């Protein structure tokens, strides 16, 4: 649901958020909705993708039907939009992939014996992935396997053009289609760099050509950078298994030192989790008057430690400022991505110590504690000590912790899902064939203040499960579904009779939490497993995806790799492409003929559910199944 | 000299250009100055770097002192400008580096025996570079050397973090400074990808941190991608040696089939040069009524075949449309970069066949003839045949070729310069020490319709040589200097007495053409050679650089790697950074304390010459030399 310009009410569906928005007003702390109102109306050229500032002959603003119908270089509306969109997707792919690289470098450090702070927690998965990518593990110890796998995956980031290791997972028909279209990703970094090259003035000057390369760039994320990030996170920190946890701002504790972990990578947060259990630090916290040290997650770093450790979740994107406004957050420790620069200012209004940890993500005004392989455990202890110190400065009169934590079940990695099914997808396929489970949908991604907070997430999920569609979620959707009570087995009662029965038989919720936003790679991998088992292309499956409240370039990359992999994808609002009829048409329908899937744009979750449902019906009929 | 808004006269200093601008008006063909006027006034937010469209919470426009002082995410003016500038530089670096990759893949194809169309033309340089980067050539034949070098340089594009092969060329003091600042480039693609990651919402949120990474990204271009492009172009196509050529639109011939090569890479254009000599095609041209097949260059592809083959130059960036407007261009064959999308439309007003050749640079409406290792010779013949066919459709009444070709001397690779000096830089250093040559300046880069065409180039060069400053030029500056008669030995008479004497003794012009825009790597390498010979850092040398009429993201990357390498650099107009006082101050002075060099922004070439001259005097005094 779109938020009207100037609106100061009805911004969220949650009481905990409403309470903190009200407290922000009382505390006179500007928050994201205030900045959105100040920025409205937005520039219509920028919003529709029609500005170009890629050289100093300009900047230019294109108006398809006016005297400004071409930029100084001669680019028209289609080209301008396509170039901008290309960079938008490239930035998203780059982000996931550079995150994957960090995991890869950690794996290499383990292999080379350069770290004792990090180790291999899932040796069986390490061996399995080694064998999958062609490394014979016989005679190799764990460290040697780690080193060999790091070597192999490093070539995926390189440029020798031999293709990505995990492309073998893709159904043959899909790989052949990509080959035919010339969009098989060659190297993870290469596609991003080539997109930056193509979008320089006077390089790729055809909108369709740029859009195809945008698809290739996105695929290098989905089947490359993101997939590497997921698989290596599992190997290093453990493959998630189902576990209980809790969610909403109520997970903060008035009598404890509260540390929020925020960002996207498990590399720092796992160390914070360990340091928070340190006896010496616990004693220090008690000496400071705290009953203990309480950790809570935000965004995808939160998802990472939720999936593997059951650390409670304080909130999603639009809750990150509000978590500080409770007055109970003694430290926010961040790695990178989706960390609003405003958080430093919000933190400065309270005792909250804002700590950055990565050289690639400094925040003006923050305390920087750089983490690396060799010092991570020690640095994590320093951060916890800073949090304890901040706790001593907390003003109890400023503390208000709204809400009561809601329970949820998390940890549904593909290994966990297939494990629960007895090691094969056959029972799931049988349920799909019988119509008990009519299909599956992914609901992923962000919040966006232009949309009523979590309204689309929750309503879309409810509508889909009602229609016997199994829902898989990642990222910020997690918190929404958790708070709505959809991540517990009892939520099966909200599902249609078929799905409800399956969930009850297995003791699982109708909405499964599969991870962080890089973990959308788990979902496309699962699609590939199902398609391969059925002997069809991914585009033939009764599945769909949605990023109903997306905001980021990463989400655009995810959406595009989903579509390019054959999964039709819903977006709550469009990217900045509507200034080009050609690019918009390609996205909304034309891609169907090219890659067998396309985008929908629809802010209303009820209508979106109908679109996704119709798609699933259509795919079921095409497979010879009931509607 | 800045062009006033709405101006239709005084756009260029050249008669050939004036004549074709007038003909464009008569032929009713819109050209770049028309589009510039239509785009003026430009958006002040975009122009100063204060717009952000990197997510769909926005777009945002920041005004440092208004209610819009922060974006929806909380980014202020400094951060917004720094993020935009980071991407600007990343795109420039990506372009050069992706161009370098193409040469590298060609080298690999030669090594692997996958091509007979391309071969090693400078075997001595191949062996020399192999030895330089640690490959023992004993017992390796040419193909094996090519393969080994390709393997080695491919790792520079990868991500293992062992540093770039050519960094050993950098003076030790400079390398230590980079290490201290954390800006030593690790991998060519990596820095671009990391910049795209850092500039995603919620990653690097500190303007200084972003600017430092921009420097690292630019250095990965200068000492990485560009340097690889240069060195491999020499190895594959021959290292340039001094040779005669001609320049301006008068190089087109009314009675011949005229083919213009445009873009940046020698990979396609070298094949076109060969095909234009093909007996069968020459016969075909004669049968079609042409006296022959005439090739002429534009922009940097022009520079590549000018340096190595003496192919005449028709023009620089602002001449590319005008070359078609002569009515005598039968074919324009392009590879990539700086090829205005408008050219397809301009070509369609005449018989000109517009042919694109690279998968990464399609042009809507163009004829696409894809070149690869295996088919290049054949494809080149096809292109020449298309040109002959177009010639038959030429309308003689539409033909007007202005100007008389001006002679020039080209081909001053570092090997040629050092060769002329007897193999060592000592004679040049002696001339500098004596004050005969007070210093050296590079004048590089583009044209920009916001600046009077070539006015700054020519006047800046004249002012500098008058002051006994040796000038090295690349890119679009080449055509300007050539047309102005500065690239002949006789131009020594325009130089000060010291420089004049040295030029006359050596028989060289006071302005030396060293190549295309990737060949700015030759200039920084020469700086390193001189600094190493003197045992000082590059920043201690009496040198400066200028991109007086720059327009492109590549030029920004070049400027930044020059400054980060220690060479103070002049720009005719600023990049889109002036919305941030912090970033602007850093560029214009603050960088001096960080990397020992900074930018000047000055549209007046006479004032720019004074600034560069003062810098050279200051550096001379610091070295204990006369002013």
């Amino acid at each position: 649901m779109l938020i009207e310009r100037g609106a100061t009410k009805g911004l969220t569906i949650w009481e905990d958020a409403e309470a903190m928005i009200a407290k922000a007003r009382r505390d006179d702390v500007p928050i994201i909705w205030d900045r959105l109102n100040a920025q409205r109306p937005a520039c219509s050229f920028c919003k529709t993708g029609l500005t170009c500032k890629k050289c100093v002959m300009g900047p230019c603003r294109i108006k398809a039907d006016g005297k400004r119908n071409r930029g100084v270089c001669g680019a028209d509306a289609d080209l301008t939009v396509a170039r901008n969109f290309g960079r938008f997707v490239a930035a998203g792919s780059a982000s996931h992939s550079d995150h994957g690289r960090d995991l890869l470098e950690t794996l290499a450090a383990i292999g080379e014996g350069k770290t004792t702070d990090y180790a291999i927690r899932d040796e069986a998965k390490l061996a399995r992935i080694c064998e999958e990518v062609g490394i014979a593990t016989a005679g190799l110890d764990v460290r040697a396997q780690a080193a060999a796998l790091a070597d192999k995956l490093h070539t995926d980031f390189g440029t020798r053009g031999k293709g990505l290791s995990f492309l073998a997972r893709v159904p043959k028909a899909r790989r052949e289609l990509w080959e035919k279209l010339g969009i098989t990703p060659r190297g993870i970094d290469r596609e991003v760099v080539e997109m930056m090259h193509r979008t320089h003035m006077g390089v790729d000057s055809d909108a369709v050509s740029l859009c195809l390369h945008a698809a290739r760039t996105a695929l290098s994320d989905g089947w490359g950078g993101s997939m590497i990030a997921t698989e290596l996170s599992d190997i290093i920190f453990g493959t998630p298994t189902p576990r209980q946890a809790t969610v909403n701002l109520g997970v903060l504790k008035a009598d404890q030192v509260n540390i929020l972990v925020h960002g996207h990578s498990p590399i720092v947060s796992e160390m914070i989790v360990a340091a928070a259990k340190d006896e010496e630090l616990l004693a220090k916290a008690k000496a400071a008057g705290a009953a203990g040290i309480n950790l809570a997650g935000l965004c995808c770093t939160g998802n990472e430690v939720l999936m593997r450790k059951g650390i409670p979740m304080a909130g999603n994107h639009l809750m990150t400022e509000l978590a500080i406004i409770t007055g109970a957050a003694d430290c926010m420790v961040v790695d990178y991505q989706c960390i609003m620069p405003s958080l430093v200012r919000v933190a400065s209004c309270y005792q909250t110590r804002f700590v950055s940890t990565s050289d690639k993500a400094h925040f003006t005004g923050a305390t920087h504690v750089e983490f690396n392989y060799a010092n991570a455990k020690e640095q994590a202890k320093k951060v916890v000590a800073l949090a304890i110190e901040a706790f001593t400065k907390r003003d109890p009169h400023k503390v208000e912790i709204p809400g009561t934590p809601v329970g949820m079940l998390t940890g549904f990695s593909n290994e966990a899902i297939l494990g629960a099914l007895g090691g094969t997808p056959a029972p799931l396929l049988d349920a799909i064939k019988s119509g008990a489970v009519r299909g599956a949908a992914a609901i992923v991604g962000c919040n966006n203040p232009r949309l009523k907070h979590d309204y689309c997430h929750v309503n879309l999920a409810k509508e889909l499960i009602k229609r016997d569609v199994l829902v898989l979620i990642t990222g910020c959707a997690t918190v929404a579904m958790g708070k709505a009570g959809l991540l517990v087995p009892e939520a099966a009662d909200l599902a249609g009779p078929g799905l409800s029965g399956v969930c009850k038989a297995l003791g699982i919720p109708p909405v499964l939490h599969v991870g962080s936003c890089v973990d959308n790679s788990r979902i496309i991998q699962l699609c590939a497993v199902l398609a391969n088992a059925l002997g069809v292309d991914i585009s033939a499956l009764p599945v769909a995806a949605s990023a109903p409240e997306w905001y980021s370039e990463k989400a655009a990359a995810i959406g595009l790799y989903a579509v390019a992999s054959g999964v039709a994808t819903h977006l709550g609002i469009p990217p900045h492409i509507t200034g080009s009829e050609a690019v918009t048409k390609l996205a909304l329908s034309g891609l169907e003929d090219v890659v067998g899937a396309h985008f929908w744009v629809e802010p209303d979750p009820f209508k979106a559910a109908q679109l996704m449902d119709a798609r699933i019906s259509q795919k079921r009929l095409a497979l010879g199944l009931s509607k």
Side-chain angles (χ1 to χ4, degrees), chain A:
Chain A
M1 190 194 284
L2 292 167
I3 295 283
E4 295 291 312
R5 187 174 147 201
T8 54
K9 297 213 180 293
L11 307 173
T12 172
I13 61 169
W14 303 119
E15 280 180 20
D16 63 345
E18 288 277 17
M20 288 306 99
I21 292 170
K23 182 166 187 288
R25 308 267 183 261
R26 290 199 306 276
D27 293 357
D28 200 20
V29 179
I31 51 175
I32 187 165
W33 291 276
D34 303 318
R35 295 190 299 273
L36 176 64
N37 277 334
Q39 284 292 341
R40 284 177 146 182
C43 168
S44 62
F45 288 97
C46 280
K47 193 165 178 181
T48 56
L50 288 174
T51 42
C52 183
K53 47 188 179 181
K54 295 188 201 69
C55 80
V56 295
M57 302 197 295
C60 295
R61 288 170 288 182
I62 315 300
K63 200 156 190 169
D65 51 359
K67 69 165 184 142
R68 291 179 180 270
N69 65 348
R70 284 189 164 71
V72 176
C73 69
D76 63 10
D78 294 336
L79 178 54
T80 302
V81 164
R83 290 199 297 210
N84 288 334
F85 181 65
R87 289 201 179 175
F88 199 87
V89 169
S93 295
S95 300
H96 288 142
S97 296
D98 201 46
H99 165 172
R101 190 199 321 271
D102 286 338
L103 272 307
L104 181 52
E105 294 198 330
T106 304
L107 181 74
I110 295 168
E112 292 160 13
K114 285 185 182 165
T115 179
T116 51
D117 288 6
Y118 296 93
I120 301 300
R121 203 116 6 118
D122 189 340
E123 297 184 1
K125 182 155 183 173
L126 171 62
R128 182 160 54 77
I129 300 287
C130 279
E131 295 286 347
E132 180 186 344
V133 301
I135 298 164
T137 53
L140 294 186
D141 67 11
V142 169
R143 260 187 56 191
Q145 289 177 27
L149 182 59
D151 276 345
K152 172 75 173 100
L153 296 180
H154 263 298
T155 67
D156 287 10
F157 280 86
T159 196
R160 302 256 20 195
K162 302 270 193 294
L164 307 184
S165 299
F166 293 129
L167 285 189
R169 294 176 171 183
V170 179
K172 192 161 163 282
R174 180 70 22 186
R175 274 183 281 147
E176 286 169 0
L177 176 65
W178 291 346
E179 208 50 48
K180 203 186 86 190
L181 294 169
I183 60 169
T184 307
R186 298 156 297 178
I188 293 171
D189 289 331
R190 178 188 193 140
E191 307 308 350
V192 172
V193 170
E194 187 173 307
M195 179 55 90
M196 294 308 287
H197 180 195
R198 283 177 184 243
T199 51
H200 187 281
M201 202 296 278
V203 188
D204 207 354
S205 301
D206 180 75
V208 172
S209 173
L210 281 163
C211 289
L212 283 173
H213 186 67
R216 175 154 61 176
T217 305
L219 289 171
S220 81
D221 169 3
W223 299 90
S226 277
M227 202 166 269
I228 287 173
T230 294
E231 299 297 40
L232 298 189
S233 293
D234 284 356
I235 288 170
I236 298 170
F237 300 110
T239 304
T241 50
R243 67 186 68 228
Q244 298 289 340
T246 54
V247 62
N248 84 19
L249 286 183
V251 305
L252 297 177
K253 295 184 180 163
D255 60 349
Q256 297 202 18
V257 175
N258 289 306
I259 301 175
L260 293 163
V261 291
H262 180 15
H264 280 75
S265 164
I267 292 180
V268 167
S269 50
E270 284 270 348
M271 292 296 138
I272 303 287
V273 172
K277 290 179 192 156
D278 182 87
E279 287 302 334
E280 218 169 297
L281 287 164
L282 281 167
K284 209 170 164 176
K286 280 179 183 154
I293 300 171
N294 181 45
L295 238 63
L298 291 166
C299 284
C300 280
T301 287
N303 275 300
E304 295 282 351
V305 289
L306 170 67
M307 285 280 281
R308 294 195 183 87
K309 302 275 185 246
I311 299 294
M313 270 297 239
N316 50 13
H317 182 54
L318 285 177
M319 298 300 293
T320 58
E321 291 180 321
L322 304 183
I324 296 176
I325 286 163
T326 59
D330 302 301
C331 181
M332 179 178 279
V333 50
V334 305
D335 45 80
Y336 42 64
Q337 295 171 21
C338 303
I339 298 151
M340 288 193 263
S342 65
L343 290 166
V344 182
R345 277 219 302 172
V346 175
S348 73
C349 299
Y350 301 90
Q351 83 286 3
T352 317
R353 182 71 85 119
F354 187 94
V355 180
S356 57
T357 59
S358 165
D359 182 56
K360 54 188 148 199
H362 287 266
F363 289 77
T364 309
T367 302
H368 189 74
V369 179
E370 180 78 24
F371 276 59
N372 64 42
Y373 325 128
N375 71 7
K377 281 191 178 165
E378 276 316 302
Q379 296 298 80
K381 287 182 191 172
K382 269 190 211 163
V383 172
V384 174
L386 289 172
I388 296 168
E389 192 198 324
F391 172 82
T392 66
K393 297 175 188 158
R394 192 195 286 179
D395 179 354
H397 300 101
K398 275 192 167 180
V399 174
E400 179 188 337
I401 300 173
T404 311
V406 178
M408 59 182 178
L409 198 58
T410 174
F412 290 96
S413 60
N414 287 346
E415 287 84 345
I417 293 173
L418 293 174
L421 297 170
T424 101
L428 179 56
L429 288 171
D430 289 344
I432 290 171
K433 286 175 188 165
S434 76
V437 175
R438 290 180 50 251
I443 302 181
V444 310
C446 329
N447 292 142
N448 189 319
R450 289 168 58 201
L451 293 160
K452 185 169 185 166
H453 177 215
D454 288 344
Y455 174 86
C456 303
H457 279 142
V458 171
N459 285 299
L460 180 58
K462 284 182 176 171
E463 288 301 307
L464 288 170
I465 61 173
K466 235 192 256 176
R467 292 166 163 88
D468 288 328
V469 175
L470 178 69
V471 173
L472 306 181
I473 58 157
T474 62
C476 285
T478 310
V479 171
M481 308 309 178
K483 284 162 89 165
L486 296 174
L487 298 187
V488 287
E490 298 73 30
D493 291 335
L494 301 171
L499 177 59
S500 176
V502 172
C503 288
K504 285 178 180 167
L506 292 168
I508 58 168
V511 180
L512 299 179
H513 176 223
V514 309
S516 64
C517 58
V518 292
D519 291 337
N520 287 315
S521 65
R522 298 189 201 272
I523 300 176
I524 48 166
Q525 191 196 350
L526 188 60
C527 286
V529 167
L530 296 179
N532 284 330
L534 286 173
V536 299
D537 193 356
I538 293 172
S539 55
L541 296 174
V543 300
S546 170
E549 301 183 26
W550 77 286
Y551 92 87
S552 79
E553 292 174 316
K554 288 177 294 165
I558 293 167
L560 190 52
Y561 77 60
V563 167
S565 297
V567 180
T569 297
H570 161 253
L571 304 173
I573 50 174
H576 306 310
I577 62 169
T578 53
S580 164
E581 205 181 311
V583 174
T584 305
K585 269 194 184 163
L586 190 65
L588 296 183
S589 57
L591 280 173
E592 185 70 35
D593 293 334
V594 184
V595 292
H598 63 89
F599 287 97
W600 298 284
V601 175
E602 175 53 64
D604 181 325
F606 299 94
K607 290 184 189 160
Q610 281 169 0
L611 293 167
M612 294 167 75
D613 180 63
R615 174 86 176 184
I616 285 168
S617 289
Q618 177 205 334
K619 293 297 171 185
R620 288 186 60 83
L621 290 174
L623 285 171
L625 306 176
S626 65
K627 197 170 164 196

